């Protein structure tokens, strides 16, 4: 039924549907699920994009897709080509032009006719050649016979025979040149073409004419034979897909625009010095639907005229990164597993428990409460790795443990690096051996988008070396962010502390795990806590890690990647972790960590200090003073 969301040998347990990771779907394994025939029906989520693709296919309109990689843009573009009528497909032939061999002629015929025409020409050429060589031998016989018998000049006879032979050979080439080249052959095509021109160079996209090393002397390949179709001509009556459209050079974008406007485009040699550059064909049809894709930035950097061209004659659609987690959607994700297994063709189908584990991973990767990730290329990768493991283990079905193992193995490079780093650090403990330390705070960062790492921040306060002002010194490339964090915190410090920051130098050391990766802003409560601890000489608890951004008013603002950060803190052995209250709903940590670590959501720096600082009397008075000056009291005091 339609509300089941999937078809095949399946049924639904309505009572379970809400709580079950499979949405109540009852299957023996994923082979029970029927994969839809139409590609467009295999798309999971992306309802808006799906509808637009179907409409645009009917109306022959261009589409621009904006969204993250691996969310189904090229899948949808391909699905669109399957929706186009195959009746209108054409073959394209290029002919020698007897008036100007550098301007080959172009003819378009219905699909399948092209092969016949070329064969007919070849047959004719073959017959003509036979005729010619028959004629040649007759003439040679006559001439040689005459030379021998009548003139008694055998040498002359041989020379004459050779000359006649050469004349025939040479003029023969002319008749070969008459055979047209089948530039585009759609004879066996079942669906309209789909051409992916992502990252293609000019020749591959716009067509090219090959260089001829024997340009003269009667040895050359006729110019029409050297013409090669590009993606735009191959996509005629179909779909031309270009991802990362902004990376296309401006000249190519302009040509593309012309092609879209004219619906036809001459092929010429793309490298200027080549003999191919002298050749330019008559226009070749390129009546395609353009599907341009990219992320938000890409769209902004795209040639404005091209963008407005596509927009003006088509649709613009956003791809979703996540979708709401409903029982029906979970059932579709089960179908997704079936799809990926069948597409690969070599993987064992999945046991229901293995599918549940995968859907749990889709929840986790969404990074958003009650949502599933739509970055399905990556999830498909996990399906393949899990299936490969199952096969190598000799399992008939892919099991839950195979998925768990796959998750371990398909860690990103960054995650592997981080795990290594943590391992190494555990050996000669930089970390949490002491229970408390002045000026030292465990910060958290994300590397490569999906790997958290714990990085301590250390602050030390010394009397200012310069007469005029206190300075801020930071190691690594984090000077700027350190300055900003300290500036924000000094506005707060001014209000409650007797210490005068302008008479002090602040040294901040970040233990860095490697190049880049550390997102500075999310460390600003960490820096602030380290500085306050150093300044007031109050120790910080070391079983604690934190992430959060700090405003000048002392508010703790939300940051990215909390799930990965919390997991990193747990892995590093922390018992507690501070996160911004505004991020509370983004927490999607794996079960195994939930017991290991306590999550403490906060909204103000005073709460951070309350949790982080150790030592009752000093700390309490500090936190009290801080609390008393929150909010309005800080306004207007930021300029120091
Ligand atoms: P994009 O073009 O957005 O980078 P693709 O369309 O190339 O992503 O997706 C790669 C693969 O991931 C697809 O071939 C398909 O197997 C899977 N996939 C991605 N998005 C979806 C989706 N929305 N529904 C089903 N499968 C998807």
């Amino acid at each position: 039924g339609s509300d089941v969301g999937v078809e095949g040998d399946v049924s639904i347990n309505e009572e379970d549907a809400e709580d079950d990771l499979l949405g109540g779907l009852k299957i023996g394994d994923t082979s029970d699920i029927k994969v839809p025939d139409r590609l467009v029906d295999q798309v999971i989520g992306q309802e808006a994009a799906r509808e637009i693709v179907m409409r645009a296919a009917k109306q022959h309109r261009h589409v621009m897709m904006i969204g993250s990689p691996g969310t189904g843009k090229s899948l949808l573009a391909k699905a669109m080509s399957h929706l186009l009528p195959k009746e209108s497909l054409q073959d394209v032939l290029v002919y020698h032009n007897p008036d100007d061999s550098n301007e080959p002629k172009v003819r378009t015929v219905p699909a399948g006719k092209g092969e016949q025409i070329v064969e007919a020409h070849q047959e004719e050429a073959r017959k003509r050649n036979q005729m010619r060589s028959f004629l040649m031998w007759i003439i040679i016989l006559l001439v040689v016979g005459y030379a021998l018998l009548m003139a008694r000049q055998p040498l002359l006879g041989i020379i004459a025979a050779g000359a006649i032979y050469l004349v025939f050979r040479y003029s023969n080439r002319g008749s070969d040149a008459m055979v047209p080249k089948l530039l585009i052959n759609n004879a066996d095509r079942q669906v309209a073409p789909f051409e992916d021109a992502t990252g293609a160079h000019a020749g591959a996209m716009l067509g090219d004419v090959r260089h001829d090393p024997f340009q003269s002397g009667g040895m050359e390949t006729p110019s029409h034979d050297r013409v090669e179709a590009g993606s735009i001509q191959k996509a005629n009556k179909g779909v031309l897909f270009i991802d990362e459209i902004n990376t296309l050079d401006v000249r190519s974008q302009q040509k593309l625009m012309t092609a879209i406007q004219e619906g036809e485009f001459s092929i010429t040699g793309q490298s200027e010095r080549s003999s191919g550059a002298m050749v330019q064909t008559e226009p070749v049809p390129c009546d395609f639907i353009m599907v341009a894709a990219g992320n938000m930035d890409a769209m902004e950097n795209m040639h404005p005229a091209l963008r407005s061209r596509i927009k003006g004659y088509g649709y613009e659609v956003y791809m979703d990164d996540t979708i709401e987690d409903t029982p029906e959607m979970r059932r579709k994700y089960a179908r997704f597993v079936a799809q990926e297994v069948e597409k690969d063709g070599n993987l064992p189908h999945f046991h229901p428990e293995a599918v549940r584990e995968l859907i749990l991973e889709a929840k986790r990767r969404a990074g958003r409460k009650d949502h599933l990730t739509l970055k399905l290329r990556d999830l498909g990768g996990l399906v393949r790795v899990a299936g490969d493991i199952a096969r190598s283990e000799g399992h008939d079905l892919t099991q839950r443990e195979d998925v768990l193992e796959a998750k371990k193995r398909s860690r990103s490079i960054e995650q592997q690096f981080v795990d290594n780093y943590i391992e190494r650090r555990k050996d000669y403990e930089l970390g949490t051996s002491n229970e408390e330390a002045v000026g030292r705070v465990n910060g958290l960062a994300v590397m490569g988008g999906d790997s958290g790492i714990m990085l301590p921040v250390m602050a030390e306060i010394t009397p200012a070396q310069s007469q005029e002002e206190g300075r801020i010194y930071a190691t690594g490339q984090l000077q700027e962010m350190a300055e900003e964090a300290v500036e924000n915190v000094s506005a707060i410090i001014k209000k409650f502390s007797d210490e005068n920051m302008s008479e002090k130098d602040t040294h901040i050391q970040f233990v860095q795990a490697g190049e880049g990766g550390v997102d500075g802003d999310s460390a600003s409560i960490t820096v602030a806590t380290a500085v306050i601890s150093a300044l007031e000489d109050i120790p910080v608890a070391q079983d604690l890690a934190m992430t959060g951004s700090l405003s000048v008013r002392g508010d703790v603002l939300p940051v990215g990647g909390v799930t990965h950060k919390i997991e990193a803190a747990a892995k590093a052995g922390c018992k507690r972790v501070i996160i911004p209250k505004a991020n509370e709903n983004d927490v999607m940590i794996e079960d195994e960590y939930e017991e290991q670590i306590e999550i403490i959501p906060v909204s103000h720096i005073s709460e951070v200090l309350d949790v982080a600082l150790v030592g009752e009397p000093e700390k309490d008075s500090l936190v009290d003073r801080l609390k008393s000056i929150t909010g309005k009291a800080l306004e207007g005091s930021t300029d120091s």
Side-chain angles (χ1 to χ4, degrees), residues 42-44 69-75 336 340 343 376-377:
Q42 294 180 14
V43 177
I44 313 268
T71 50
K73 297 188 290 293
S74 101
L75 179 66
F336 170 73
E340 295 292 303
K343 193 160 73 178
L376 290 176
R377 180 190 297 159

Side-chain angles (χ1 to χ4, degrees), residues 387-568:
D388 276 341
I389 293 173
R391 209 177 31 165
S392 67
E393 298 280 318
H395 297 164
D396 291 341
L397 287 178
T398 305
Q399 304 289 338
R400 174 164 182 266
E401 71 213 49
D402 299 323
V403 176
L404 291 175
E405 180 62 26
K407 266 168 56 172
K408 250 188 234 157
R409 280 197 212 167
S410 63
R411 290 172 309 173
S412 61
I413 300 290
E414 287 85 0
Q415 186 63 52
Q416 294 179 29
F417 172 81
V418 166
D419 288 350
N420 252 326
Y421 178 77
I422 290 170
E423 275 307 307
R424 266 187 291 133
R425 227 173 43 174
K426 269 184 187 152
D427 295 342
Y428 46 100
E429 193 57 26
L430 268 158
T432 49
S433 59
N434 294 325
E435 281 174 6
E436 50 185 72
V438 171
R440 185 188 186 287
V441 182
N442 292 316
L444 294 166
V446 173
M447 296 175 72
D450 64 352
S451 316
I453 183 165
M454 190 169 97
L455 296 168
V457 173
M458 279 167 275
E460 203 169 319
I461 311 285
T462 58
Q465 286 183 343
S466 134
Q467 294 292 317
E468 304 96 56
E469 49 163 10
R471 292 228 171 93
I472 297 155
Y473 301 91
T475 57
Q477 293 122 19
L478 295 171
Q479 179 74 28
E480 217 171 279
M481 110 58 182
E483 275 175 22
E484 204 180 303
V486 173
E487 221 159 80
N488 281 1
V489 77
S490 62
I492 300 164
I493 289 169
K494 235 193 212 164
K495 283 285 170 189
F496 73 82
S497 176
D498 307 328
E499 308 282 349
N500 188 347
M501 289 295 280
S502 64
E503 292 166 6
K504 312 272 184 197
D505 283 344
T506 310
H507 304 260
I508 299 174
Q509 190 193 342
F510 298 88
V511 176
Q512 257 181 294
E515 282 300 304
V518 179
D519 151 33
D521 198 38
S522 70
S524 56
I525 67 164
T526 318
V527 173
T529 306
V531 169
I532 290 174
S533 160
L535 193 67
E536 300 283 329
D537 199 27
I538 304 176
V540 177
Q542 298 296 303
D543 69 341
L544 174 82
M546 61 177 73
T547 181
S549 180
L550 185 65
S551 80
V552 284
R553 299 160 135 257
D555 298 317
V556 177
L557 307 176
V559 295
V562 278
T563 298
H564 301 298
K565 288 173 176 173
I566 295 170
E567 290 182 356

Side-chain angles (χ1 to χ4, degrees), residues 187-444:
D188 298 324
R189 203 171 254 299
Q190 298 309 316
V191 289
F194 167 75
E195 282 293 320
D196 186 345
T198 304
H201 58 86
M205 183 158 98
L206 305 168
D208 212 344
V209 181
R210 271 183 291 123
H211 179 64
D212 181 9
F214 309 106
Q215 275 175 65
S216 54
M219 293 284 286
E220 74 263 31
T221 314
S223 57
H224 78 277
D225 247 354
R226 292 186 278 124
V227 174
E228 307 278 349
S231 302
I232 61 169
Q233 291 94 8
K234 289 183 198 159
N236 186 36
K237 304 289 174 194
V239 172
L240 180 73
F241 176 69
I242 306 183
D243 203 352
E244 296 164 27
I245 179 93
N246 60 308
T247 61
L248 201 63
D249 62 275
V250 175
R251 192 176 146 272
S252 295
Q253 291 199 39
Q254 267 157 352
K255 302 242 154 142
L256 192 59
M257 200 151 62
T258 312
I260 291 173
Q261 258 159 355
E262 310 282 329
E264 53 181 30
F265 198 84
S266 296
I267 296 176
T268 184
Q270 296 292 331
S271 40
E272 272 162 33
R273 297 242 190 75
S274 138
S275 61
M278 300 189 321
V279 178
Q280 181 167 34
T281 68
E282 287 180 353
V284 180
C286 61
D287 174 25
F288 53 81
I289 293 179
M290 166 102 182
V291 180
N295 59 21
M296 204 55 152
D297 295 350
M299 290 303 154
E300 272 156 23
N301 293 328
M302 171 178 178
H303 195 300
L306 180 59
R307 178 167 187 182
S308 65
R309 183 92 214 157
I310 301 177
K311 234 169 126 176
Y313 292 81
Y315 300 99
E316 198 170 60
V317 63
Y318 292 85
M319 304 293 287
D320 296 321
D321 279 352
T322 63
I323 188 154
E324 205 182 323
D325 178 13
T326 63
E328 186 185 349
M329 211 19 97
R330 290 175 180 185
R331 297 194 285 266
K332 289 214 170 126
Y333 272 63
R335 194 194 74 205
F336 170 73
V337 176
Q339 283 172 196
E340 295 292 303
V341 168
E342 277 182 20
K343 193 160 73 178
D344 186 275
N346 256 326
L347 308 172
H349 270 282
F350 276 49
H351 188 273
E353 281 306 315
V355 181
R356 286 196 175 92
E357 193 57 44
L358 219 98
I359 291 172
L360 186 66
E361 184 63 15
K363 268 173 86 67
R364 269 171 44 75
R365 291 189 181 182
R368 206 175 148 192
K369 213 175 183 67
D370 298 325
H371 278 74
L372 298 163
T373 184
L374 277 171
K375 291 186 177 154
L376 290 176
R377 180 190 297 159
D378 294 346
L379 207 65
L382 195 59
V383 169
R384 274 181 293 281
V385 175
D388 276 341
I389 293 173
R391 209 177 31 165
S392 67
E393 298 280 318
H395 297 164
D396 291 341
L397 287 178
T398 305
Q399 304 289 338
R400 174 164 182 266
E401 71 213 49
D402 299 323
V403 176
L404 291 175
E405 180 62 26
K407 266 168 56 172
K408 250 188 234 157
R409 280 197 212 167
S410 63
R411 290 172 309 173
S412 61
I413 300 290
E414 287 85 0
Q415 186 63 52
Q416 294 179 29
F417 172 81
V418 166
D419 288 350
N420 252 326
Y421 178 77
I422 290 170
E423 275 307 307
R424 266 187 291 133
R425 227 173 43 174
K426 269 184 187 152
D427 295 342
Y428 46 100
E429 193 57 26
L430 268 158
T432 49
S433 59
N434 294 325
E435 281 174 6
E436 50 185 72
V438 171
R440 185 188 186 287
V441 182
N442 292 316
L444 294 166

